[in-house]
Amino acid sequence: MRIDTVFEQGTGLLNEDFLVVDKNLFGVFDGATSLSPARFGHGLTGGYLASTVAGSAFRGSDRPLGELADRANRAIMEAMLKHGVDLDDRANLWSTSAAVVRVLEDRFEWVQIGDCLVMTLLEDGSHRVHCAEFNHDLETLTLWREASCGSEGAILDVMHEQIVKVRRGMNVTYGVFNGEPAAMDFLNAGSLPLEGVTDILLFTDGLFIPKRDPGEREDFHLFAELFRAGGLRGVLDHIRSTEAEDAACTRYPRFKVHDDVAAISIAL
């Protein structure tokens, strides 16, 4: 295997993504931007701690991925209790999306939750995304696109109540690791042969190609073309240049000018 990674902070104060490369286990984690002003330790956010705690739970173990996913989810609850997080308001819960792969001799296993993705490129030039696509931010970004032309504020301020509403839907309408047992009901998992696979890709949503209409499907065909031409860095360079032309986040509705990115490519 030949491994390549991209790990880059966006325009936030911290990189709330996390990346794991541990022998034949690989994972990316995307901590959700905290809606609470609370900080922990040396100024760390709940999103940073959620992705870090969850990612660390996968390291150094050959236990089944589903078992490690449950361990990661429980570890977030233990960490929140340790830090005195107010659990009465679900919007305060630390949370993270995740995608983890274990590569075996003739097949690979994966687990995924939230909007981190697992994708394979195949010898015949095609590609596959190995989990159901979803967009729990569709309503928020659609409302932002409609409101932004008459607004001078940033999306996180203008759409705050809407964002809080969506956050309270964790493990009700969409899944994330946030310490709640219900997260396991949203865990996607699979095991597939390596025959015909040239590359396995894992990435957080910071590596999604910007789109004008939040309701459009992700352009994974363009993603695959960019990767084949220039690897993970080629995809990221395309995204960053597109985002830089829209600093107000209105032409391509999104929450930040540049999001954090954690990505891994495994060439077989």
Side-chain angles (χ1 to χ4, degrees):
M1 295 185 294
R2 185 175 72 254
I3 311 303
D4 188 24
T5 63
V6 167
F7 187 66
E8 186 169 299
Q9 183 174 338
T11 47
L13 296 177
L14 290 171
N15 188 343
E16 294 179 309
D17 284 4
F18 191 74
L19 186 149
V20 172
V21 176
D22 182 23
K23 298 180 181 177
N24 65 330
L25 184 143
F26 310 89
V28 295
F29 302 80
D30 182 0
T33 300
S34 295
L35 302 183
S36 165
R39 295 293 182 266
F40 310 90
H42 299 288
L44 303 178
T45 65
Y48 175 94
L49 291 166
S51 64
T52 302
V53 167
S56 298
F58 281 88
R59 283 177 164 161
S61 176
D62 59 0
R63 301 299 300 168
L65 292 183
E67 182 178 316
L68 295 179
D70 185 59
R71 176 192 295 180
N73 190 54
R74 291 173 182 270
I76 291 174
M77 177 58 74
E78 292 170 2
M80 288 192 295
L81 291 171
K82 179 181 177 181
H83 285 85
V85 174
D86 177 8
L87 305 180
D88 291 335
D89 184 348
R90 299 182 66 248
N92 291 333
L93 301 183
W94 303 352
S95 64
T96 184
S97 298
V100 182
V101 162
R102 178 180 280 143
V103 181
L104 304 174
E105 185 175 346
D106 61 349
R107 60 194 304 105
F108 73 98
E109 304 168 342
W110 57 269
V111 291
Q112 177 272 342
I113 191 168
D115 51 11
C116 293
L117 296 184
V118 178
M119 180 178 181
T120 51
L121 304 186
L122 307 178
E123 291 176 350
D124 63 5
S126 64
H127 62 273
R128 291 180 61 191
V129 177
H130 295 278
C131 32
E133 292 181 45
F134 81 100
N135 186 356
H136 64 265
D137 292 319
L138 173 59
E139 181 182 46
T140 305
L141 293 177
T142 299
L143 290 171
W144 168 244
R145 183 180 63 170
E146 295 169 354
S148 60
C149 59
S151 172
E152 297 181 358
I155 181 173
L156 294 176
D157 298 324
V158 175
M159 304 302 299
H160 178 75
E161 291 304 316
Q162 167 67 20
I163 294 169
V164 169
K165 184 187 83 169
V166 173
R167 188 66 59 87
R168 289 179 177 146
M170 294 181 295
N171 298 325
V172 177
T173 59
Y174 67 96
V176 288
F177 291 144
N178 69 350
E180 297 177 310
M184 293 301 99
D185 296 334
F186 289 86
L187 187 71
N188 299 302
S191 177
L192 292 166
L194 290 173
E195 183 178 1
V197 176
T198 61
D199 302 89
I200 303 172
L201 311 179
L202 302 82
F203 49 97
T204 61
D205 67 349
L207 210 64
F208 289 8
I209 295 173
K211 51 188 181 181
R212 293 179 183 269
D213 181 355
E216 291 179 1
R217 299 189 68 181
E218 303 299 332
D219 192 348
F220 291 119
H221 178 73
L222 175 58
F223 186 107
E225 287 186 339
L226 291 167
F227 177 81
R228 287 189 170 105
L232 293 174
R233 178 54 59 178
V235 181
L236 181 58
D237 287 347
H238 173 84
I239 291 168
R240 290 295 194 242
S241 63
T242 303
E243 292 170 335
E245 298 172 356
D246 178 36
C249 303
T250 55
R251 186 186 310 166
Y252 302 99
R254 58 199 192 281
F255 294 103
K256 303 173 185 175
V257 180
H258 302 305
D259 200 359
D260 303 329
V261 172
I264 303 171
S265 65
I266 307 160
L268 304 173

